[in-house]
């Protein structure tokens, strides 16, 4: 455990092995089984989770009971309801394991203490937030301007593993499509190839 965290940190900042050993002590290892939840909508998000192994998704549920996937998170990614985590307010999301998963959890207080103890970790967190914001803007732009086919191709080009590891109905939800529309899009793409 901690291999993916070491890779993620190393891709963004320089951290000495001694600093990484200090960093590891702030995390809580946790395993989730497939379909087990990390966070329920309405609860306060007390952890930001780093994924060492597996896939998680965050989603909201509308008044009709329809799920709307907000995010998939694979190995080397973070997941949590940031507004709930930072403001200690009720979450608008549920976070669930799509596969059996191994996580490293970081509480709000541990995160604050770690950033004070290792300022380099604060730089890492800042880079993560910048990248998340850029990704969010790109996703909103695609939702507003891209066709269903363009959205699907962009997702599968950026994250090819999503097709093999995530159920199609969840991919459809993430793209804002019905499963039937996604099926038609996939068929059209295969006919063009």
């Amino acid at each position: 455990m901690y291999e993916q965290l070491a890779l993620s940190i190393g891709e963004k900042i320089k951290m000495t092995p001694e600093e990484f050993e200090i960093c590891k002590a702030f995390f809580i290892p946790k395993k989730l089984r497939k379909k087990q939840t990390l966070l329920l909508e309405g609860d306060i998000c007390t952890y930001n989770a780093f994924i060492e192994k597996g896939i998680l998704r965050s989603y909201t549920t509308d008044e009709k009971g329809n799920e709307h996937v907000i995010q998939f998170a694979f190995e080397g990614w973070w997941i949590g309801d940031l507004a709930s985590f930072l403001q200690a307010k009720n979450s608008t999301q549920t976070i669930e394991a799509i596969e059996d998963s191994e996580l490293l959890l970081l509480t709000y207080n541990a995160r604050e203490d770690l950033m004070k103890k290792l300022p380099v970790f604060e730089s890492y967190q800042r880079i993560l937030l910048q990248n998340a914001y850029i990704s969010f803007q790109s996703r909103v732009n695609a939702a507003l301007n891209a066709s269903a086919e363009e959205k699907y191709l962009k997702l599968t080009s950026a994250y090819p593993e999503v097709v093999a590891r995530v159920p199609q109905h969840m991919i459809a939800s993430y793209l804002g499509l019905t499963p039937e529309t996604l099926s038609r899009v996939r068929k059209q793409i295969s006919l063009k190839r």
Side-chain angles (χ1 to χ4, degrees), residues 66-123:
N66 298 315
E67 294 177 358
H68 303 279
V69 176
I70 298 167
Q71 178 189 2
F72 297 116
F74 298 87
E75 290 89 357
W77 291 31
W78 289 83
I79 193 167
D81 181 336
L82 194 58
S84 175
F85 181 74
L86 294 176
Q87 299 173 344
K89 66 180 195 177
N90 293 346
S91 176
T92 59
Q93 305 171 24
T94 295
I95 299 175
E96 174 187 76
I98 295 175
E99 298 176 347
D100 290 346
S101 299
E102 296 176 9
L103 313 175
L104 296 172
L105 305 180
L106 191 61
T107 66
Y108 178 84
N109 288 337
R111 178 179 175 268
E112 293 298 308
D113 291 346
L114 180 51
M115 289 190 296
K116 286 178 190 160
K117 188 164 185 107
L118 293 177
V120 68
F121 190 78
E122 186 169 13
S123 296

Side-chain angles (χ1 to χ4, degrees), residues 45-58:
C45 183
T46 54
Y47 301 104
N48 232 354
F50 182 84
I51 295 121
E52 276 288 319
K53 180 181 175 203
I55 305 172
L56 277 73
R57 70 176 176 137
S58 64

Side-chain angles (χ1 to χ4, degrees), residues 6 9-10 13-24 118 120-121:
I9 290 172
I13 58 162
K14 292 207 182 285
M15 184 179 278
T16 67
E18 296 78 22
E19 288 172 326
F20 186 68
E21 285 302 312
I22 292 168
C23 180
K24 284 171 36 177
L118 293 177
V120 68
F121 190 78

Side-chain angles (χ1 to χ4, degrees), residues 144-164:
L144 296 172
N145 299 307
S147 69
E149 184 175 324
E150 290 168 334
K151 287 190 255 188
Y152 181 75
L153 288 172
K154 183 176 180 180
L155 175 67
T156 58
S157 172
Y159 311 107
E161 69 273 23
V162 77
V163 175

